[in-house]
Amino acid sequence: DIQMTQSPSTLSASAGDRVTITCRASQSISSWLAWYQQKPGKAPKLLIYKASSLESGVPSRFSGSGSGTEFTLTISSLQPDDFATYYCQQYNSYSQAFGQGTKVEIK
Amino acid sequence: QVQLVQSGAEVKKPGASVKVSCKASGYTFTGYYMHWVRQAPGQGLEWMGWINPNSGDTNYAQKFQGRVTMTRDTSISTAYMELSRLRSDDTAVYYCARGAVVEPAAIEPLDYWGQGTLVTVSS
């Protein structure tokens, strides 16, 4: 099975900061990588799919890049509503998998 | 609009089974895979498997093979996830989520999620 590893596990930042989260796959997944945002007590929300495509309605300050085994999620200017936990997910193989999550907290 | 509405919270004893339902509306139920994902308290997301609502075909994560059964009732646009031989570490919120279109074959992420069902396993 393909394993997904995110870093860092926790990230402390201030509003207005540029934030980058990394996700690595244990083998190539081409561009079949999604990013989700989850707030406490809520279901995850799809932000990015196919590594760099922005889901409809998601603010343009979110962007994704990468292919193969290395991927990044960038928030260009962190807003108060962005403090949450972010997960990457590979959806290429018959068996899907999530990263362990990155919590973005207020510095 | 697409909606996935799940059944309510459950409390079960170790060794018992639980069956969670997920009623879909706002789209053609048989046209999209349905996935199940769980999240233990304070932990990350864990993919459990999917069902093709059109054919009934299933694919389970190896970890849950032999304990999980995913079914559907197309007449009421509802998917079910049953987990047996429950243990305390099965305590989690269980989510259903819509996946890729069934035909033509596609690779797509999970775009709509249910509200989650808390399953507590305790003696």
Side-chain angles (χ1 to χ4, degrees):
Chain A
D1 288 356
I2 300 173
Q3 311 299 322
M4 307 301 293
T5 304
Q6 280 181 243
S7 61
S9 296
T10 307
L11 190 159
S12 297
S14 302
D17 285 354
R18 181 182 181 88
V19 164
T20 298
I21 299 169
T22 298
C23 179
R24 289 186 175 86
S26 60
Q27 64 189 74
S28 177
I29 57 170
S30 184
S31 295
W32 304 116
L33 190 283
W35 290 96
Y36 300 85
Q37 177 193 66
Q38 187 181 35
K39 296 182 179 179
K42 300 294 187 182
K45 173 188 174 183
L46 177 64
L47 299 176
I48 301 281
Y49 62 96
K50 210 170 179 183
S52 60
S53 296
L54 197 66
E55 176 71 348
S56 177
V58 174
S60 58
R61 62 181 180 272
F62 291 93
S63 64
S65 65
S67 66
T69 62
E70 296 265 342
F71 303 87
T72 59
L73 172 70
T74 299
I75 309 172
S76 60
S77 178
L78 201 63
Q79 299 301 301
D81 191 49
D82 302 337
F83 290 97
T85 301
Y86 294 84
Y87 294 92
C88 63
Q89 179 215 16
Q90 70 82 9
Y91 57 98
N92 173 49
S93 70
Y94 206 58
S95 178
Q96 305 192 1
F98 291 91
Q100 79 276 19
T102 296
K103 183 178 182 179
V104 177
E105 57 182 27
I106 301 172
K107 190 173 184 179
Chain B
Q1 72 284 19
V2 174
Q3 277 195 303
L4 301 175
V5 179
Q6 298 184 222
S7 49
E10 303 261 14
V11 179
K12 296 291 182 181
K13 293 193 181 303
S17 297
V18 67
K19 191 171 185 177
V20 179
S21 68
C22 171
K23 182 171 178 59
S25 62
Y27 73 98
T28 302
F29 175 67
T30 53
Y32 293 79
Y33 288 86
M34 188 70 79
H35 294 245
W36 290 87
V37 175
R38 77 177 187 179
Q39 185 171 38
Q43 302 302 307
L45 302 170
E46 184 173 30
W47 180 78
M48 299 181 69
W50 54 248
I51 182 168
N52 176 337
N54 188 47
S55 65
D57 289 344
T58 54
N59 174 37
Y60 305 140
Q62 190 169 9
K63 174 177 179 176
F64 300 102
Q65 292 271 3
R67 280 209 306 145
V68 70
T69 305
M70 296 176 189
T71 57
R72 89 290 190 215
D73 184 339
T74 58
S75 68
I76 55 172
S77 299
T78 299
Y80 302 92
M81 186 285 300
E82 183 171 19
L83 190 62
S84 63
R85 302 194 301 278
L86 290 168
R87 307 184 293 254
S88 58
D89 61 357
D90 290 318
T91 294
V93 174
Y94 290 76
Y95 294 101
C96 59
R98 192 181 79 164
V101 293
V102 170
E103 292 290 342
I107 302 177
E108 295 170 352
L110 307 178
D111 59 356
Y112 289 92
W113 294 64
Q115 83 277 17
T117 297
L118 175 62
V119 175
T120 303
V121 183
S122 174
S123 55

